[in-house]
Amino acid sequence: MAGAQRGIVGAAALMLALTACGGGGGDWADEDGRPLTLDGNGMLMALPGRLSAPEGWKGRDPEALTGERALDACQDVTASNCAGLAAAGGGRFSRDGESDQRIKYSVFAFDTVDNASVAMKGTLAEDRGDAGTVRELKVDTGAEAAEAFADTDGDAEVVMRAGAVVIRMQGYEVADEKTLGSFARLQVERVRAAANGQNPDA
């Protein structure tokens, strides 16, 4: 009985952490109750590029993937079967000047929240296993669910779910919560706009 109670308490704590780190993402469903997601064109709009680079940073041209290339990329990152995958893609920012600071996004759009949640679970398990000892971070992402942590080298991971879209954000030599939060919200809001048929760069 004590073990079962600990399991319930642990699950409740995990849900609280996911909600708290998510920062309150608002409504991630359309008018018919379907979860917001992206097709190939929506993915291309959602990914950040040179036009969306914050001051002091520069962006690279994003890449949207569909079909077999999307599936390969998804399975590699999420360590899951990627059932229901609709599109995938990635984008990157780097700090101006001589700095080695970089932000990298990997984005995967699914048909249902359940399929997206499985991919998020796999991503977290894979990334936490690779990172070893980690420091938990509290990052305001604006997503429905999120977890963030930093490793002992000063790199960080923020894994988020926004509707049926999973976002893995990596911070290379970027581990402060404020900076990670601003980059996380940038990608999350671009997903929201694109999923509603709006080009975030318009």
Side-chain angles (χ1 to χ4, degrees), residues 27 68 70 104 110 120 122 134 137 155 168 177-178 180:
D27 188 7
E68 196 68 29
K104 180 182 177 183
F110 295 87
M120 180 177 178
V134 301
L137 301 174
D155 299 330
R168 177 204 197 194
E177 294 166 339
K178 183 177 180 180
L180 291 170

Side-chain angles (χ1 to χ4, degrees), residues 43 47-48 73-79 89-92 103-110 119-120 122-131 143 145-147 149 151 156-162 165-172 180 183-184 187-188 191:
M43 177 66 69
L47 294 170
C74 179
Q75 291 178 341
D76 182 57
V77 170
T78 71
R92 185 175 303 191
I103 297 288
K104 180 182 177 183
Y105 300 101
S106 299
V107 183
F108 305 101
F110 295 87
M120 180 177 178
T123 303
L124 285 166
E126 184 83 352
D127 290 351
R128 285 183 177 275
D130 290 343
E147 285 190 37
F149 56 90
D151 64 19
E157 298 259 354
V158 185
V159 181
M160 303 164 272
R161 181 181 59 77
V165 179
V166 174
I167 303 164
R168 177 204 197 194
M169 189 183 86
Q170 298 166 278
Y172 296 96
L180 291 170
F183 279 104
Q187 179 62 91
V188 165
V191 166

